[in-house]
Amino acid sequence: MIIDFASAVSALKSAENILILTHANPDGDTLGSGFALLRALRAMGKRAKLLCGDTINPKYAHLYEGVESDSFEEEFIVSVDVAERKLLGKELDEKYGDRVDLAIDHHSTARLFAEKTYCEPDSASACEIVYLIIKALGVPVTKEIASCIYTGCSTDTGCFRYSNVTARTHRIAAELIEYGAEHSPINVRMFETKSMSSILFERLCLDNLEFYAGGKVAVITATLDMMRQTGADKSCFDAIKPLTRQIEGVLIGITVKQESKDTVGVSVRTGEEYDASAICAHFGGGGHLRAAGCEFKDDPFRVRDIVVKYVTENVL
Amino acid sequence: MIIDFASAVSALKSAENILILTHANPDGDTLGSGFALLRALRAMGKRAKLLCGDTINPKYAHLYEGVESDSFEEEFIVSVDVAERKLLGKELDEKYGDRVDLAIDHHSTARLFAEKTYCEPDSASACEIVYLIIKALGVPVTKEIASCIYTGCSTDTGCFRYSNVTARTHRIAAELIEYGAEHSPINVRMFETKSMSSILFERLCLDNLEFYAGGKVAVITATLDMMRQTGADKSCFDAIKPLTRQIEGVLIGITVKQESKDTVGVSVRTGEEYDASAICAHFGGGGHLRAAGCEFKDDPFRVRDIVVKYVTENVL
């Protein structure tokens, strides 16, 4: 059932012994929402605990600093920033997926798995919503809560860069700074630190950056060997994807990634003139207008040649 | 003479035939301030024109789109974001440097070269100040003015990332979005586009990235030849400077740059544990606690060895 803001607030007001669930592969928004809510509920004298299906990257340590663990039988379960139950991760989904009392979310693709769902698809982050809920609950916004909320506001918007940012996002950020959110150190940790693997992987990727069609097409081909050699993981690869398209003059950016011995994933990013999803649809894939993908069972360099040939001969 | 906000507003209110000066090597803040003020003054029925000592990068085209040039004898000269007269650039300094009626600035290092100076060192950008002046002048904030102001607010704060951001910065950004500032396309142009030279130069720099002291020290050595080979300019090099220090585990990041055949500039960036200015002071240089520099007359690779030896043996 979809509920309104006031109902979400009153559900939390009357809840006791609360379990908060974040999504697996956790980011700053789900963790910021979860720990801000946990801190607020505890400040109201309630018992609250948080579970996440994956280990939490230590760069988010400021979110749970000073939060003591608690163990009790949960009576009320709330999920934050979880668009569908399988995103809880296998273990938490099996254990709690059909028992969530309240889902607080901001995804336009949200599935209604919880008993009650409060979703604002126009909100840049779940943290914006949790912030307004905390204020409506009458809990004083401490410096720690402000830093949790700020983390989600900042990470889900690429530090206020993306098109999902609204005037409300900035107004909330202003209030958070006044409440003592440590915005600058948080941003350094979230945006200005690259892992050694990531930088070594980026170096290998740039080494095999190639241009076609007079610089209109740029391609990076990443092999399993490159990943192994540098210790790169999925997040290192995700960081590379936008790179080709960001180069001045490049209209179509292609990143070819060897996923396993015989599977290759292709990510296509386009500027305003071309349709990435149409390019990928030609190869049985799909996605968005400016960012799409497709898969092959082949050698990565042969895949590169096939995609480049199609793009330069049939798309440009 | 230092004046207050109200006096700056009234000086502009009574001014006619106004010349606006930006600093040379222009950035989003000086240009955003200049063109926002020009648009506002013209909306008041005044004649206004703008001069910049250097050519303007076409990525700033949205700032002056639709602004027609005008030619008249200037009666009032105002500079925006110009901390000292020599920053006007040689030509504009010679012609106007001692005739500036009003300087609007936000640098803590501002020199009082104009007849009147209004400076807010706590303001994250000159654009924030110009915005408040425009509102005080009673000029309606158009979408174009909002986009000009937003550009300076965003570029001078690394898109709301740096420690100079205040609650006011975010509140102004919120209002600008409501006035129609095209925040997302502006941020794409300002932050997500890399020149071909810049990416090729970055590739060569990453190729010679070296680690010392078990990864605590990272060094990039950039030669004139690398700059020539890729067509890189000063801005490409500036983009590289923070890179070494951003790598996880690196405590001291060093970038060695061959400036000319026999001059080498060294940039040192440190984490919280080390003092960059002390390291550079040892070699006759200086700067800030976390970012400093020094110069050598030597070969870049010999300089690299000298600095690395000092840092690993005497600093770590």
Side-chain angles (χ1 to χ4, degrees):
Chain A
M1 180 173 58
I2 290 172
I3 60 168
D4 64 9
F5 181 79
S7 308
V9 173
S10 80
L12 286 166
K13 205 172 252 170
S14 57
E16 294 296 341
N17 298 327
I18 301 150
L19 169 63
I20 300 167
L21 299 176
T22 72
H23 63 71
N25 196 7
D27 59 13
D29 193 28
T30 198
L31 294 172
S33 299
F35 285 109
L37 191 57
L38 180 142
R39 290 171 188 272
L41 293 169
R42 288 191 180 176
M44 294 171 79
K46 298 176 188 290
R47 293 182 80 170
K49 59 185 180 182
L50 182 147
L51 284 176
C52 174
D54 283 313
T55 51
I56 297 174
N57 185 317
K59 78 175 177 178
Y60 296 117
H62 64 287
L63 301 177
Y64 51 82
E65 206 185 338
V67 170
E68 292 187 18
S69 63
D70 193 2
S71 172
F72 54 82
E73 188 72 35
E74 56 275 350
E75 291 171 23
F76 188 89
I77 303 178
V78 52
S79 69
V80 284
D81 197 38
V82 181
E84 48 183 306
R85 51 179 284 188
K86 74 173 187 199
L87 298 175
L88 292 167
K90 198 164 179 298
E91 203 186 315
L92 292 186
D93 181 12
E94 278 172 13
K95 203 158 170 192
Y96 304 108
D98 57 357
R99 291 172 49 204
V100 177
D101 296 287
L102 174 62
I104 300 171
D105 192 27
H106 73 121
H107 293 93
S108 57
T109 56
R111 300 254 180 99
L112 305 182
F113 64 92
E115 201 193 314
K116 295 172 179 177
T117 297
Y118 179 64
C119 183
E120 279 186 33
D122 291 337
S123 183
S125 62
C127 271
E128 278 191 32
I129 306 169
V130 170
Y131 174 71
L132 297 173
I133 288 175
I134 288 173
K135 290 193 66 163
L137 286 169
V139 179
V141 179
T142 60
K143 180 178 163 169
E144 289 74 24
I145 290 178
S147 284
C148 286
I149 299 288
Y150 182 89
T151 301
C153 290
S154 169
T155 53
D156 252 29
T157 59
C159 209
F160 307 96
R161 183 182 300 185
Y162 302 155
S163 57
N164 60 352
V165 169
T166 65
R168 185 178 86 173
T169 314
H170 279 294
R171 281 215 176 84
I172 289 177
E175 292 180 22
L176 295 170
I177 289 174
E178 284 167 342
Y179 283 125
E182 296 192 301
H183 58 107
S184 171
I186 290 171
N187 288 332
V188 169
R189 290 177 85 172
M190 298 300 120
F191 299 105
E192 295 195 5
T193 307
K194 297 183 176 201
S195 72
M196 186 73 89
S197 296
S198 167
I199 198 101
L200 295 175
F201 179 65
E202 191 179 325
R203 167 157 90 179
L204 290 184
C205 287
L206 284 180
D207 278 343
N208 81 21
L209 170 67
E210 295 164 307
F211 296 98
Y212 299 91
K216 287 184 195 150
V217 178
V219 185
I220 283 173
T221 312
T223 62
L224 280 179
D225 198 48
M226 286 161 65
M227 306 277 286
R228 236 180 267 123
Q229 220 177 305
T230 56
D233 60 11
K234 196 182 163 297
S235 73
C236 301
F237 180 73
D238 288 344
I240 292 294
K241 279 196 219 165
L243 210 149
T244 47
R245 236 295 292 146
Q246 282 172 9
I247 304 167
E248 210 170 18
V250 172
L251 305 176
I252 301 176
I254 300 169
T255 314
V256 177
K257 183 199 175 197
Q258 189 177 23
E259 306 270 6
S260 67
K261 218 162 169 279
D262 61 354
T263 347
V264 170
V266 174
S267 155
V268 176
R269 302 279 177 115
T270 54
E272 275 169 35
E273 301 87 343
Y274 297 98
D275 180 347
S277 66
I279 294 169
C280 292
H282 178 78
F283 298 108
H288 304 281
L289 201 59
R290 305 276 165 258
C294 50
E295 274 206 359
F296 291 80
K297 298 256 175 226
D298 206 333
D299 166 85
F301 294 99
R302 215 155 35 223
V303 168
R304 173 200 62 190
D305 294 343
I306 292 167
V307 177
V308 166
K309 188 172 156 47
Y310 172 70
V311 162
T312 52
E313 292 181 4
N314 299 79
V315 177
L316 282 181
Chain B
M1 180 174 59
I2 290 171
I3 59 169
D4 64 9
F5 182 78
S7 307
V9 172
S10 81
L12 285 167
K13 204 171 252 170
S14 57
E16 294 295 340
N17 298 326
I18 301 149
L19 168 63
I20 299 166
L21 299 177
T22 72
H23 63 70
N25 196 8
D27 59 14
D29 193 29
T30 198
L31 294 171
S33 299
F35 285 110
L37 190 58
L38 180 142
R39 291 172 189 271
L41 293 169
R42 286 190 180 176
M44 294 171 79
K46 298 177 189 288
R47 295 181 79 171
K49 59 184 178 181
L50 182 147
L51 284 176
C52 174
D54 283 314
T55 51
I56 297 174
N57 187 316
K59 79 175 178 179
Y60 297 117
H62 64 287
L63 301 176
Y64 51 82
E65 206 185 336
V67 171
E68 293 187 17
S69 63
D70 192 3
S71 171
F72 54 83
E73 188 71 37
E74 57 276 350
E75 291 172 23
F76 188 91
I77 303 179
V78 52
S79 69
V80 283
D81 197 39
V82 180
E84 49 183 307
R85 51 180 284 188
K86 74 173 186 198
L87 297 176
L88 292 167
K90 197 164 180 298
E91 203 187 315
L92 291 186
D93 180 14
E94 277 172 12
K95 205 160 168 190
Y96 304 108
D98 57 356
R99 290 174 48 205
V100 177
D101 296 286
L102 173 64
I104 299 170
D105 192 28
H106 73 121
H107 293 91
S108 58
T109 55
R111 299 255 179 98
L112 306 181
F113 64 92
E115 200 192 315
K116 295 173 179 176
T117 297
Y118 179 65
C119 183
E120 278 187 32
D122 291 336
S123 183
S125 62
C127 271
E128 278 191 33
I129 306 169
V130 169
Y131 174 71
L132 297 173
I133 289 175
I134 288 173
K135 291 194 66 165
L137 286 170
V139 179
V141 179
T142 60
K143 180 179 163 167
E144 289 73 24
I145 289 177
S147 285
C148 286
I149 298 289
Y150 182 89
T151 301
C153 290
S154 170
T155 53
D156 251 29
T157 59
C159 210
F160 307 96
R161 183 182 300 185
Y162 302 154
S163 56
N164 60 351
V165 169
T166 64
R168 186 177 86 173
T169 313
H170 279 293
R171 284 219 171 80
I172 289 177
E175 293 182 20
L176 296 171
I177 289 174
E178 285 167 340
Y179 284 125
E182 297 193 301
H183 57 109
S184 171
I186 290 171
N187 288 332
V188 169
R189 291 177 84 171
M190 297 300 119
F191 298 105
E192 296 194 4
T193 308
K194 296 183 176 201
S195 72
M196 185 73 89
S197 296
S198 168
I199 198 101
L200 296 175
F201 179 65
E202 192 179 325
R203 167 157 90 178
L204 291 185
C205 287
L206 284 179
D207 278 343
N208 81 20
L209 171 67
E210 295 164 305
F211 296 98
Y212 299 89
K216 287 186 195 149
V217 178
V219 185
I220 283 174
T221 312
T223 62
L224 280 179
D225 198 48
M226 285 161 66
M227 307 277 286
R228 239 180 265 123
Q229 220 177 305
T230 56
D233 59 11
K234 196 183 162 297
S235 73
C236 302
F237 180 74
D238 287 344
I240 292 294
K241 279 196 220 165
L243 210 148
T244 47
R245 236 294 292 146
Q246 283 171 9
I247 304 168
E248 212 170 15
V250 172
L251 305 177
I252 301 175
I254 300 169
T255 314
V256 177
K257 185 199 176 197
Q258 189 178 25
E259 306 271 4
S260 68
K261 216 158 171 283
D262 60 355
T263 348
V264 170
V266 173
S267 154
V268 175
R269 301 280 176 116
T270 54
E272 274 169 36
E273 300 87 344
Y274 297 99
D275 180 347
S277 66
I279 295 169
C280 291
H282 178 78
F283 298 108
H288 304 282
L289 201 59
R290 305 278 165 255
C294 50
E295 274 206 359
F296 290 80
K297 297 259 175 223
D298 206 332
D299 166 84
F301 294 99
R302 214 153 38 219
V303 168
R304 174 200 60 190
D305 295 342
I306 291 167
V307 177
V308 167
K309 186 171 158 47
Y310 172 70
V311 163
T312 51
E313 294 182 2
N314 298 81
V315 179
L316 282 183

